[in-house]
Amino acid sequence: MANRGLFITFEGMDGSGKTTQMHRLAARLRGLGRTVLETVEPGGPPVAMQIRRILLDSANQDLSPTTEVLLYFASRAQNVDQWIAPALARGEIVLSDRFTDSSLVYQGCGRGLGEESVAALERIACRGIRPDLTLLVDIDPESSLGRARARNLAQPHDETRMDDQSLDFHRKVYEAYHALAAREPERVKIVDGRADIDGIEREIWDIVGRRL
Ligand SMILES: Nc1ncnc2c1ncn2[C@@H]1O[C@H](COP(=O)(O)OP(=O)(O)OP(=O)(O)O)[C@@H](O)[C@H]1O
Ligand SMILES: [Mg+2]
């Protein structure tokens, strides 16, 4: 299915700054008069938000890797059908805080399920909807865990199941993100998440401006 609008995803480790930068990009685009849908994964529409609760609840330590990947794709299928595909068909700009690349690096590589399983589920769940542009907000795994844990202490919440994973797991994810960016350099653009928030916002604006 062809995207008539523009589909931009944010990827990167926990605490890298995805949400911060997505909101800033959305504000800039709306300032130009563009219609923007912001969504987050897992989540989006209400049914997908219910699936999100299962996935991120730190109480669910016994979720099996296969159940985990199926739930991520169940959430994504609902989001694609209900929000993302209709918005793109209307010619809008869709921004998503994580998408299929997260399943590839966290479940395919981090959990070791393999890229082929993720690709097979993508064919079912996404119906050809792929990001036109992916911004990989890049920070190292140590800084990532540091920021995520600082935030969890400052604003206690129970969506910490992925933050609770080992440093080893997060290192695998980091490597997988870089391998992906090397494989698809036209789509996946790395921005330095260690820079200051305003500087990253400007860098992203330069990249997105070329696609508008
Ligand atoms: N460039 C930056 N430099 C320093 N701190 C930052 C930067 N960007 C974001 N932060 C801070 O780091 C924390 C995480 O940022 P944010 O929530 O945007 O990251 P995220 O990638 O969405 O994280 P998560 O994956 O956990 O949702 C926040 O407290 C935010 O204020
Ligand atoms: Mg976030």
Side-chain angles (χ1 to χ4, degrees), residues 12-21 97-98 147-148 151 163 193-197 200:
M13 316 282 296
D14 292 325
S16 56
K18 300 178 296 297
T19 304
T20 304
Q21 294 299 333
D97 187 343
R98 300 192 177 281
R147 276 197 204 165
R151 186 203 44 201
D163 305 338
R194 301 291 297 277
D196 67 278
I197 293 177
I200 301 169

Side-chain angles (χ1 to χ4, degrees), residues 62-80:
D62 49 1
L63 201 63
S64 86
T66 305
T67 310
E68 180 183 273
V69 75
L70 290 170
L71 286 173
Y72 272 110
F73 273 101
S75 162
R76 185 165 303 133
Q78 186 69 32
N79 200 357
V80 165

Side-chain angles (χ1 to χ4, degrees), residues 98-118:
R98 300 192 177 281
F99 199 63
T100 303
D101 294 323
S102 284
S103 297
L104 184 73
V105 300
Y106 285 86
Q107 282 72 49
C109 300
R111 300 282 189 226
L113 290 175
E115 295 189 6
E116 191 35 54
S117 309
V118 173

